[in-house]
Amino acid sequence: MSAYQKNLVTAVLFVVIGALLSWDAFRYSYNSSFFLRGLALTLLGLGLSYGLILLVKKPSVEGVAVEDDARNRDMFFGAVPAFKVFAIVSAYVLLLTATGFLIATLVFAFVGQVVFAGEFRRRHLAYALCMTFVIFYLFFEALGVRMPAAPLSLDPFFRTS
Amino acid sequence: MLEAIYIGTMTALHPAMLVAVLFGVIFGLFIGMLPGLTSTMGVALLIPVTFSLPPEVGLAMLGGIYCASTFSGSISAILLNIPGTPSAVATMQDGFPMTQRGEAGRAIGLSVYASSIGGLFSVVVLLFLAPVLSELSLMIGTREYFLLALFGVTIIATLSSGDLFKGLMGGILGLVISVVGMHPMTGEMRLTFGLPALYDGLPVVIALIGLYSVPEVISILGGRRASDESARSTSFAGAMNTLRDVLRQGTNVLRSSIIGTFIGIVPGAGQSIASFIAYDAAKRSSKDPGRFGKGSEEGLVAAETANNAVTGGSLVPLMTLGIPGNAVAAVLMGGLIIHGLAPGPALFTGTPEVAYGFIISLAVANLMFVPLGLIVARYCFRAIMLPKDVLAVTILALAVVGSFAIRGQLFDVALMLGVGLLGYVFALLSISRAPLVLGLVLGSMAESNLSRALMLVRGDPWELLFQLLTRPFSAGLILLCVISILFGMRKSTKADI
């Protein structure tokens, strides 16, 4: 995607967000939403103005084509790790609700390293164990952060307080 | 007064006080570095520990946490592009590019010395000018607060890094996100989608964690950290020799210290606003503004000096009037009350050893975190040498636990992930995230004060405008806003050309 195309997508994105926000903002009472209405309409106006300016100042086809190749490759390589990150963290959150911090973090840290590295190494397991217990004792024991409750949690067995 | 300062100095230099400050500084350094844990949380966590200590010792420990955690937010911001505290976002604009350039040690060194000087400046102000400045803070009403927030919004042009339209739209989206939840005056819920967890709005720290940590992990895994190799090949040796470079920027340091201290005195304004305003002022007066956002030492020094200068400033209204300047000062006020001390003028006259001992101990803390900060940063520096898979899971695990720690809700982790997706889209479309953060920080302040100001004039906007133009302080702020907008437009026109 060229810089021009990115800018165009940005303009369309903000027009859509601005339109949705404007529609929603006018559903609330005036006293609660005059600020929000102003922001939503400004966002819509800016998005439209930006889009129009971009359409008027359209760059030459050659200029766009030069940078297309490298950028498309960048986007492709960025999308794969992004998918991995969102999938693994979402699974981690779901696991936290079921198994508590220790099991979920251990699984997340181990699987995460294997998936991100693309291969299994023994150090992945060792680091997963170390990281899980360091965070557990630092946050939940030393700093007293409340732990996520879960039906299959082993966390209480490892608490010192 | 000099006698009281002498008593305070003797109290602050007592071995028990020094040990308390040392403990507070070490604890604060770790708290500030970890995403999700803020200065406020650090001070609140140690208040129970101070119960059994004499009041001056307990307060010295809390002051140590406050000063050190304010600085150490910059460590993760500089090394990993993930701000430890909200006030480190401005630092990150130039700190991380320096790391990518192989100058991480130098960036940390500049940050630690600038923070220390900013903190010391504000302590001197607190010591000698507190009563005068506290009167000034009483002159600031809802109208001026709104204008202060508006002035903050005008800084977006500086943070837009090239494309003013994108910066403005990002900033306004930040303002919109900040008004999610209950309206401060009417109590009506807005943009909550019926989710009770959003009734109190989106906590800024959760937004920051998602906005910066998730895209950064994707960037690390995608192998698109442009100067990864140069970052790895860098040494930490440069950190020690940067004091002279900070002192060479005398005007920048003085201006940022004054901005930070002034913003600190204004109750509710906060460190993030101070660091952004100081960053903006440094860029405007720089001979080389084009370097800002690409590893400018001036930008880094300005942001770091200002956010630590807030520490002393925020204690001016607390110690002289009993009004806390920010959330940390409010928790410190709780600490004072628990020890049977009433914040206000009586604190200085009735218990000078506690009041002045506390102020001098803040100066000690600002000096103490220099060597300790450099030592801690030296070990943290190794984080950038870790294999990518290890670094990625560590950042993600800390992001998840940090988001959960704020309110103890797993929903906040999902929220962090959602904001992370937004951050990723912003990164893909080359939209700067800093204006969004600025909008997030300023939004609720702008809305609540505009609502209050309008209520005072029975909803008549023309009457409000008349009052804004006729009150000297607010008229001055309007002038600042106009100058800021004109400067931004001029800069944008130059960039187009």
Side-chain angles (χ1 to χ4, degrees):
Chain A
M1 199 187 272
S2 68
Y4 176 75
Q5 286 168 327
K6 276 186 183 181
N7 293 345
L8 213 53
V9 171
T10 305
V12 172
L13 184 74
F14 279 104
V15 167
V16 172
I17 294 173
L20 287 172
L21 279 172
S22 304
W23 171 74
D24 198 53
F26 280 87
R27 290 170 52 224
Y28 308 115
S29 69
Y30 174 78
N31 283 340
S32 304
S33 67
F34 65 90
F35 189 67
L36 184 60
R37 286 180 194 187
L39 292 175
L41 290 173
T42 310
L43 197 59
L44 182 62
L46 280 170
L48 285 170
S49 314
Y50 191 45
L52 282 173
I53 290 170
L54 287 171
L55 289 174
V56 172
K57 283 186 175 179
K58 199 175 176 181
S60 65
V61 181
E62 296 83 21
V64 176
V66 171
E67 53 183 347
D68 268 2
D69 227 22
R71 284 175 192 276
N72 282 337
R73 210 168 44 236
D74 255 13
M75 290 279 281
F76 176 75
F77 283 119
V80 176
F83 176 75
K84 283 181 186 172
V85 167
F86 286 108
I88 285 177
V89 177
S90 303
Y92 177 35
V93 176
L94 289 175
L95 206 58
L96 270 172
T97 58
T99 64
F101 179 80
L102 281 174
I103 297 175
T105 307
L106 193 62
V107 172
F108 160 75
F110 175 68
V111 175
Q113 286 178 90
V114 173
V115 171
F116 294 152
E119 59 180 347
F120 167 72
R121 286 184 192 168
R122 258 178 292 179
R123 73 165 163 82
H124 290 152
L125 195 58
Y127 183 74
L129 269 167
C130 288
M131 191 197 85
T132 303
F133 280 95
V134 166
I135 294 180
F136 178 76
Y137 284 108
L138 179 69
F139 277 81
F140 302 113
E141 291 287 308
L143 300 177
V145 171
R146 200 149 49 108
M147 287 200 297
L152 303 173
S153 178
L154 291 179
D155 303 351
F157 298 110
F158 289 88
R159 295 207 71 161
T160 53
S161 55
Chain B
M1 187 184 182
L2 285 175
E3 192 189 351
I5 292 173
Y6 174 75
I7 294 170
T9 309
M10 288 299 110
T11 309
L13 295 177
H14 188 275
M17 290 284 277
L18 292 175
V19 170
V21 175
L22 178 69
F23 181 76
V25 166
I26 294 171
F27 186 72
L29 284 171
F30 284 102
I31 286 284
M33 256 184 336
L34 296 171
L37 299 186
T38 57
S39 311
T40 316
M41 200 184 279
V43 173
L45 278 170
L46 274 206
I47 279 193
V49 178
T50 67
F51 284 164
S52 53
L53 300 172
E56 62 276 17
V57 178
L59 284 172
M61 187 188 288
L62 299 179
I65 300 171
Y66 186 18
C67 296
S69 57
T70 303
F71 149 70
S72 66
S74 68
I75 296 177
S76 51
I78 290 169
L79 296 179
L80 299 170
N81 204 26
I82 298 167
T85 53
S87 59
V89 174
T91 308
M92 208 166 63
Q93 304 301 311
D94 290 293
F96 187 65
M98 283 183 77
T99 298
Q100 287 183 307
R101 224 165 46 203
E103 295 177 347
R106 190 169 169 73
I108 294 280
L110 290 170
S111 163
V112 75
Y113 289 121
S115 297
S116 177
I117 293 171
L120 286 170
F121 178 90
S122 72
V123 168
V124 173
V125 170
L126 178 62
L127 202 57
F128 294 104
L129 299 174
V132 184
L133 291 171
S134 60
E135 294 296 321
L136 183 73
S137 73
L138 287 179
M139 285 167 59
I140 299 170
T142 53
R143 306 164 187 87
E144 287 78 18
Y145 273 115
F146 167 66
L147 287 172
L148 199 61
L150 197 66
F151 176 61
V153 173
T154 63
I155 292 170
I156 285 173
T158 305
L159 298 169
S160 299
S161 60
D163 198 326
L164 186 63
F165 263 103
K166 280 184 174 177
L168 281 173
M169 291 188 291
I172 290 170
L173 188 63
L175 288 168
V176 169
I177 295 172
S178 76
V179 304
V180 168
M182 190 190 287
H183 187 272
M185 309 303 284
T186 65
E188 191 175 351
M189 299 296 167
R190 286 111 14 109
L191 305 169
T192 58
F193 306 102
L195 297 166
L198 286 176
Y199 287 178
D200 288 335
L202 173 67
V204 176
V205 180
I206 292 174
L208 276 184
I209 295 173
L211 212 50
Y212 286 97
S213 61
V214 174
E216 194 50 37
V217 167
I218 295 167
S219 168
I220 291 168
L221 293 172
R224 285 187 283 122
R225 284 160 79 100
S227 307
D228 221 11
E229 287 312 311
S230 69
R232 281 159 188 265
S233 65
T234 189
S235 82
F236 201 77
M240 306 291 177
N241 311 319
T242 47
L243 177 61
R244 200 177 295 165
D245 299 308
V246 174
L247 293 176
R248 257 191 223 126
Q249 297 183 35
T251 316
N252 186 15
V253 170
L254 182 66
R255 183 182 49 234
S256 306
S257 299
I258 293 169
I259 290 172
T261 308
F262 174 74
I263 297 289
I265 291 167
V266 179
Q271 292 162 332
S272 311
I273 300 174
S275 55
F276 276 123
I277 291 179
Y279 183 84
D280 175 66
K283 186 171 179 180
R284 281 160 201 251
S285 54
S286 171
K287 286 176 188 159
D288 192 7
R291 278 181 67 82
F292 278 67
K294 295 168 190 159
S296 161
E297 293 186 1
E298 285 175 89
L300 177 76
V301 167
E304 275 305 296
T305 309
N307 70 22
N308 263 72
V310 170
T311 54
S314 66
L315 297 174
V316 170
L318 171 70
M319 295 189 74
T320 53
L321 303 167
I323 302 167
N326 60 15
V328 191
V331 180
L332 276 170
M333 185 171 163
L336 283 167
I337 293 167
I338 284 167
H339 284 286
L341 301 164
L347 191 67
F348 288 92
T349 50
T351 49
E353 74 287 356
V354 175
Y356 287 100
F358 175 51
I359 295 173
I360 304 288
S361 73
L362 288 175
V364 175
N366 277 301
L367 291 171
M368 215 179 254
F369 75 63
V370 172
L372 290 172
L374 287 172
I375 293 168
V376 169
R378 195 183 185 95
Y379 286 100
C380 294
F381 174 64
R382 293 182 183 172
I384 55 174
M385 314 289 187
L386 288 171
K388 287 178 180 181
D389 48 321
V390 174
L391 194 57
V393 291
T394 310
I395 292 172
L396 289 175
L398 285 174
V400 168
V401 178
S403 319
F404 178 79
I406 309 285
R407 299 191 292 191
Q409 295 176 4
L410 273 174
F411 177 79
D412 287 345
V413 181
L415 216 51
M416 180 275 292
L417 208 55
V419 179
L421 183 64
L422 180 71
Y424 176 60
V425 171
F426 265 45
L428 275 184
L429 297 174
S430 308
I431 307 170
S432 171
R433 284 162 285 175
L436 182 84
V437 174
L438 191 63
L440 270 169
V441 171
L442 294 170
S444 58
M445 180 177 163
E447 186 188 30
S448 57
N449 286 294
L450 178 62
S451 299
R452 280 193 205 107
L454 273 169
M455 192 179 268
L456 288 173
V457 291
R458 294 179 194 85
D460 184 355
W462 298 111
E463 174 64 21
L464 177 63
L465 187 65
F466 175 75
Q467 288 192 4
L468 289 176
L469 291 169
T470 49
R471 286 166 65 105
F473 201 68
S474 52
L477 281 169
I478 289 177
L479 189 67
L480 271 178
C481 290
V482 172
I483 292 169
S484 181
I485 292 166
L486 289 176
F487 186 89
M489 283 168 67
R490 191 170 140 239
K491 186 192 134 215
S492 177
T493 316
K494 269 187 181 176
D496 281 349
I497 293 164

